[in-house]
Amino acid sequence: MGAPVDGSRAYLLDARLRPVPAGVVGELYLAGPGLARGYLHLPGATAQRFVADPYGPPGSRMYRTGDLVHRDDDGTTHFHGRDDDQVKLRGLRIEPAEVAAALDSHPQGVPAAATVHRGPEGRQRLIGYAVPPGAAPAPEALLAHAAGSCRRTWSRPTSCCWTHCR
């Protein structure tokens, strides 16, 4: 995965913010002077991801990446996955639950889900699904609603469909 940028720090910590030994999977935390103060206009997400740094100078913070990794004895870091459902699409991080919440807000679409699929051409696409309570309107209406409800343009689904669960 690489090494931290000069002047920054990378920690592999357990759930109680204690360093994990070589070979043990922990969550990757980043800290240092280049760390952002948080997410713009998202105090809840900021509080969840930007936490006090018990190993840095007083008042410093570190960022919970959500990446699960381990280090070998030689210091090489290996990626094991995520501690949440976040996905990467075209290099951008997307929370499928946020996309599903945008779809859920459609007057006719409850409940909803979103996931990444690889299309026949090999490209990954973000697809939204919703279960209509009755007759389903055109999928284009659901897609337009999602486009207007997703706060980040890159987290808008490329297509949507209504599905019937039994």
Side-chain angles (χ1 to χ4, degrees), residues 95-106 109 111-115 128-130 150 155 157:
E95 297 280 353
E98 288 181 10
V99 178
L103 296 170
D104 281 345
S105 69
H106 188 280
T115 189
Y129 298 91
C150 290
S155 66

Side-chain angles (χ1 to χ4, degrees), residues 18-65:
R18 296 176 303 193
V20 297
V24 175
V25 174
E27 185 173 354
L28 178 63
Y29 287 75
L30 301 175
L35 186 68
R37 289 187 220 154
Y39 296 115
L40 184 63
H41 306 301
L42 297 172
T46 295
Q48 201 173 47
R49 290 289 181 183
F50 291 83
V51 298
D53 181 355
Y55 306 103
S60 63
R61 295 166 63 131
M62 58 186 181
Y63 175 69
R64 286 187 60 214
T65 67

